Structures are given as structure tokens and as C-alpha cells.
């Protein structure tokens, strides 16, 4: 594995520039769309303090060091707490008290921990729990994807430990007594403090983990918590439940007593449950947006998540048709993206002609990256057909069959059916098969690189182009599509190594890297994610984050009177 060094920039982001909230007469400045947030909330907690919510998929794992998906990140962030946590895109205190002490060379960070934090089994949360959790993240036996990805080249010796060259005891994290954590970095990493709010950096209780063995975090009764809530029920594939953690150090702040989550894959079912008052928030698909746009609980958010087609160039040891650059270009330009976002999605999403989303990252003088980089692989049927004819000639065939892998939710099904129709209609001789599977199975097929084309998206882990660009490096932990470009790797690595502390040079490196990726048609960019919801006015102080867990419930409360008045 090639050595990686990452300049991880701040997670901190003022979300108002990214969120486009619409509601029928309700407050759009709130963290949960029309429900109010922070000091803007005008109501107060009253009535039963219970939220009833939905997820579109089950949680694959509640293990902080193993989880890689958005559902896991969401609920791990509510049941665990790291050094810090995110609140409306800002850093808030967690187990660490105040600001860390940073050495003059910026290589040693010392965090002072509070002495009143406890695990749900009654044991104290100490610096040793962080040491164990971080070591576990890079221990090859844990098989963590995010441990080496997030810590490699950042925490001293993390890369060497992940590759088996050094023992986990040599990781640059030590406990100085029970309540002081000392971290050594490979190089200066500005805003390292903010990275510690990510789930991979959460502590775990060694005694409990070792007692549970392979069953750890796979059932509600094999879970342990040090966060605002604890999981008490986990009915796999159908529902899970969280209750207030009375042992949480800041339990007095937590007003919610219970969060019930039902797995609802069908969006029509979600709308029905919302309309009958059985759930308090549900995402909307296109057919419901126009129906519900004047509902008091209607809200739309533009996310920082790009969606694209991963074009796998090798499957089961053999080249796929996507190993041909003209085939990739043809597929990328044969899909009407505007038709997809306006008709099929109709949820606030916008078409995208690049990797880095609009409104996510700006230059020192305030220029948006997407605007500066421009458009690539735009919808152009004539260009697509021209590339397709070249591809068939180079492949030596007039008939090509590819399979598109996607999820099994309502929206996933609608999208892949649209892609199939567009591609088969615009590219003569192309047959498109579809494979719609549950989320966990899609992750497994992606990791095994057992697909031709995959409908994929990425939520940023931190606010920097590298959170996206790193995905497609030759040795990138999340590449999984057999793309390799020396020129691309060079531009990306230069941005986080020799130019790490030069913002202008890094900006140009990122522009160059995206241009190479797009000219290679390594992926087919499709749209920037937008989300439309129905959100009960009773949901107050539910903060919205751009990175990590999408929603934050520590400060939330139920204003049941507001819900009754809106009816």
C-alpha cells in the first residue's frame, strides 16, 4: 500500500449557505426544516418527549471502528461520544474539555478529558478507552475500512500498523493518567480537533468489547453507550429504539426520552405513516413533492453529496466493457440529468457535471470550486453516440451487455429504471440489466468489485476536496472500480503533501485532479443530492450537519403543542 498523508481541513461549516429550505409558511432557518433550531426555536418542550422516525435501510453495524455507512454513522453518533461532537456544523464539547494543547511544531496534541463521563455499564470513560478505540481502528484484525483511511498518514505510525509492519502499541496515542490524552501526528494537520468528532475516533470500552467478542455491536444487548442515548431494541430489518442515557455526563441537557426508528423502504408508506401521525419525519419522492409542497412540514435541503455511476473496469479478473474509455464517455453523456432531477427525483437535487459539489468548498478569495472547475461530461446524445460507435469498433462487437447495481429502495428503483431506458434508447446495441439489492449486499458487492456499473454517492467526511478526490486514487480504500491514473494520483498527493500548507497551490492541484478524472470518464457524474421531507412541527432543535451524522438529537425536544396547532 502506498503511503498516504492527508491534510484534513475543518469540518466546521456554516450550513446556511448550503441549505435551501422551503416550507408553507414555516420557519426555514431551523435545523430541521420548518421546525426551528437553536435560539431560533420559539417553542418549548411539552408533552411526551418521543420522536418517531424512519430509516430507508437497516444499520449494518453499530461498531464505531467498523461502520462505513450513513445509517450507522447517524446512530453511532447518538449513542457514543468522542472528544467533540458536531452541532449545526460547529464543534461542540464532548468528552474533551476546552481547547486542546498543541505543541509549537503542531505534532503533539494534548486533550484534557472530563472526569464525570461514564459508560452505560457504570464504568468511567477514560483516556485509555480512546487509546483502545484508536488502536482498534488501525489493527488489521479489526478489518476497519475507515481506520486506515482516516488515520493513515495522520496519526503517527497508523499506516505502518494497518499494513502489519508495526504493533498497535506503537500508535501515536497515549493516556497520561486517566483523563489526559496525548496524540502524536505524522505531520502538522490543521483542524485535527474537528476530525475527532468522526465516529472512527470514538472511544470504546475494552472490557465490554472483549466480553462480547464477535457479537459486539451487532445486537442491542451487545452495545455499550457513552453518548446522549442508548439502543434498547434492534429488530433487524424492521426497527430500532433509543432511550435517553441517564448515565451521560450531560444528561440534564437531553430532553428527549425516546427515539423510535422504523425501517421504511417504500416512500409512499412513509408518507402514509406521516399523514396518520405515526411518524414525525419522512423523505419525499418526486410524486409526493408537488402534492405536499404547501404542507406546513415541507422542507427541502441541498446536500453536499454528489451521485455518480461507478464504472468498474475489471470484474472477476477480466476487463469489463467499461475498460474502454469511449464506452465510459458514451455512458456518461447519454443520460439526461436534468430530466432525472426535475422529473424522477423532483426533490431539490440538481444536475452535476463534475465530482466536487457546488457550495461545498471555496478558494481563498471566495470562488466556488464547482464554478471554477466548470462542466465535464454534460448530457450530449450526439457526442455519446459518436463515442459509442468508437467503443464498439474497439471492442470488436455490435452488442454489449452491462449490469447496473443499485439499492432496493423506491428512489433507487426509479433511478436505475430511468438509467436503463436512457442508455438503451441512446446507445444502439447496448443491453442494460439491473440488480437491485439491500444496502448491505450492495456494500459487499462494491467491496468485492463484483459489478459493472454501480449507482453510488458520497457524503463528505470533512470539508475539503480531498474527501472526494481520495476515493479514486489507485490505492484508495474506496476505489473498488479498478481505475488508476498516475497523473491523477500525483495531483491529489501533491495537494496533501508538498502543497499541504499552500492554499492556492492546493486549490490548483484539486482543479487539475478533477479535470483528469473527468477527462478519463472514470465516473459518470449525475446529480448533487437534494432532500425533500415532511417534518412535524413538533421536532425542535434537531440540528443539521454537513458532515458525519446528518441529524443531531442531543439538544432536540418535542413541542407537541406546535404539532397540534399546525393541524
Amino acid at each position: 500500500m502506498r503511503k498516504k498523508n492527508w491534510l484534513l481541513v475543518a469540518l466546521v461549516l456554516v450550513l446556511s449557505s448550503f441549505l435551501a429550505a422551503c416550507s408553507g409558511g414555516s420557519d426555514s432557518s431551523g435545523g430541521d426544516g420548518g421546525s426551528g433550531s437553536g435560539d431560533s426555536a420559539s417553542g418549548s418542550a411539552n408533552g411526551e418527549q418521543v420522536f418517531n422516525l424512519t430509516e430507508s435501510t437497516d444499520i449494518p453495524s453499530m461498531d464505531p471502528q467498523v461502520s462505513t455507512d450513513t445509517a450507522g454513522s447517524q446512530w453511532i453518533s447518538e449513542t457514543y461520544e468522542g472528544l467533540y461532537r458536531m452541532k449545526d456544523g460547529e464543534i461542540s464539547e464532548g468528552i474533551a474539555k476546552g481547547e486542546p494543547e498543541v505543541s509549537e511544531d503542531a505534532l503533539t496534541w494534548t486533550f484534557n478529558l472530563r472526569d464525570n463521563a461514564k459508560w452505560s455499564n457504570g464504568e468511567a470513560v477514560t483516556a485509555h478507552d480512546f487509546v483502545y478505540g484508536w488502536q482498534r481502528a488501525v489493527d488489521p484484525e479489526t478489518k476497519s475500512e475507515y481506520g486506515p483511511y482516516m488515520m493513515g498518514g495522520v496519526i503517527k505510525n497508523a499506516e505502518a500498523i494497518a499494513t502489519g509492519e508495526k504493533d498497535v502499541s506503537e500508535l501515536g496515542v497515549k493516556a497520561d493518567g486517566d483523563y489526559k490524552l496525548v496524540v502524536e501526528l505524522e505531520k502538522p494537520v490543521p483542524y485535527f480537533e474537528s476530525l475527532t468528532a468522526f465516529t472512527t475516533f470514538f472511544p470504546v470500552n475494552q472490557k465490554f468489547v472483549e466480553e462480547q467478542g464477535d457479537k459486539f455491536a451487532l445486537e442491542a444487548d451487545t452495545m455499550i453507550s457513552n453518548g446522549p442515548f442508548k439502543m434498547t431494541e434492534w429488530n433487524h430489518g424492521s426497527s430500532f429504539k433509543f432511550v435517553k442515557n441517564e448515565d451521560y455526563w450531560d444528561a440534564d441537557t437531553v430532553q428527549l426520552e425516546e427515539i423510535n426508528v422504523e425501517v421504511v423502504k417504500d416512500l409512499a408508506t412513509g408518507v402514509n405513516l406521516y399523514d396518520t401521525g405515526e411518524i414525525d419525519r419522512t423523505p419525499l419522492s418526486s410524486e409526493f413533492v408537488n402534492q405536499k409542497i404547501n404542507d406546513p412540514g415541507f422542507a427541502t435541503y441541498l446536500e453536499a453529496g454528489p451521485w455518480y455511476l461507478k464504472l468498474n473496469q475489471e470484474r472477476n479478473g477480466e476487463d469489463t466493457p467499461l475498460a474502454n474509455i469511449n464506452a465510459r464517455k458514451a455512458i456518461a453523456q447519454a443520460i439526461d440529468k436534468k430530466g432525472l432531477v426535475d422529473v424522477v427525483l423532483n426533490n431539490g437535487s440538481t444536475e452535476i457535471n463534475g465530482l466536487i459539489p457546488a457550495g461545498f468548498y471555496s478558494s481563498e478569495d471566495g470562488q466556488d470550486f464547482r464554478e471554477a472547475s466548470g462542466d465535464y461530461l454534460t448530457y450530449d446524445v450526439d457526442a455519446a453516440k459518436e463515442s459509442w460507435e468508437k467503443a464498439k469498433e474497439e471492442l470488436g462487437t455490435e452488442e454489449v451487455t452491462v449490469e447496473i447495481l443499485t439499492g432496493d429502495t423506491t428512489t433507487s428503483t426509479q433511478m436505475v429504471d430511468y438509467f436503463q431506458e436512457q442508455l438503451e434508447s441512446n446507445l444502439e446495441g447496448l443491453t442494460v440489466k439491473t440488480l437491485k439489492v439491500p444496502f448491505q449486499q450492495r456494500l459487499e458487492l462494491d467491496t468485492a468489485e463484483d459489478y459493472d456499473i454501480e449507482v453510488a454517492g458520497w457524503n463528505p467526511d470533512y470539508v475539503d476536496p480531498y474527501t472526494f478526490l481520495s476515493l479514486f486514487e489507485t490505492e484508495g480504500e474506496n476505489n473498488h472500480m479498478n481505475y488508476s491514473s498516475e497523473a491523477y494520483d500525483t495531483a491529489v498527493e501533491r495537494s496533501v503533501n508538498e502543497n499541504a500548507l499552500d492554499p492556492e497551490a492546493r486549490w490548483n492541484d484539486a482543479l487539475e485532479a478533477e479535470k483528469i478524472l473527468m477527462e478519463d470518464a472514470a465516473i459518470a457524474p449525475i446529480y448533487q443530492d437534494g432532500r425533500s421531507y415532511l417534518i412535524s412541527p413538533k421536532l425542535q432543535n434537531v440540528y443539521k450537519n454537513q458532515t458525519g451524522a446528518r441529524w443531531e438529537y442531543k439538544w432536540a425536544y418535542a413541542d407537541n403543542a406546535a404539532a397540534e396547532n399546525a393541524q
Side-chain angles (χ1 to χ4, degrees), residues 98 120 144 249 284 308 374 382 402 531 558:
S120 51
S144 168
W249 69 270
L284 296 175
Y308 43 84
D382 290 337
V402 296
R531 302 290 178 93

Side-chain angles (χ1 to χ4, degrees), residues 7 361 363-364 369 464-465 469 490-513:
L7 175 65
Y361 189 76
S363 64
E364 291 283 282
F369 186 95
D464 187 84
L469 297 174
T490 298
V492 174
E493 289 298 316
R494 189 170 58 231
S495 75
V496 291
N497 286 302
E498 63 190 76
N499 292 334
L501 299 180
D502 185 338
E504 183 177 355
R506 292 194 73 237
W507 173 264
N508 291 327
D509 290 335
L511 289 171
E512 179 183 348

Side-chain angles (χ1 to χ4, degrees), residues 296-317:
F298 181 81
T300 297
Y301 299 95
L302 183 62
E303 307 279 357
W307 282 78
Y308 43 84
L309 300 182
K310 292 178 69 172
L311 307 176
N312 190 16
Q313 298 186 34
E314 183 180 309
R315 182 177 184 179
N316 299 324

Side-chain angles (χ1 to χ4, degrees), residues 6-23:
W6 293 305
L7 175 65
L8 304 178
V9 301
L11 286 165
V12 179
L13 184 65
V14 178
L15 290 176
S16 59
S17 62
F18 301 102
L19 304 182
C22 305
S23 62

Side-chain angles (χ1 to χ4, degrees), residues 178-230:
D178 288 340
Y179 300 108
K180 186 171 289 188
L181 185 72
V182 182
V183 182
E184 293 182 83
L185 304 183
E186 289 280 5
K187 69 173 185 177
V189 180
Y191 312 108
F192 172 68
E193 175 185 11
S194 62
L195 185 64
T196 64
F198 196 79
T199 58
T200 307
F201 292 82
F202 285 0
V204 287
N205 183 278
Q206 183 173 1
K207 178 183 176 182
F208 186 86
V209 171
E210 292 179 349
E211 285 177 349
Q212 302 305 317
D214 293 340
K215 297 180 181 180
F216 172 62
L218 295 179
E219 302 290 344
D221 60 2
T222 63
M223 280 278 301
I224 192 168
S225 303
N226 75 321
F229 302 93
K230 56 185 180 181

Side-chain angles (χ1 to χ4, degrees), residues 84 97-102 109-112 193:
Y84 301 96
K97 298 188 300 181
E99 293 294 320
E101 302 165 16
V102 184
W109 292 58
T110 302
F111 298 89
N112 294 299
E193 175 185 11

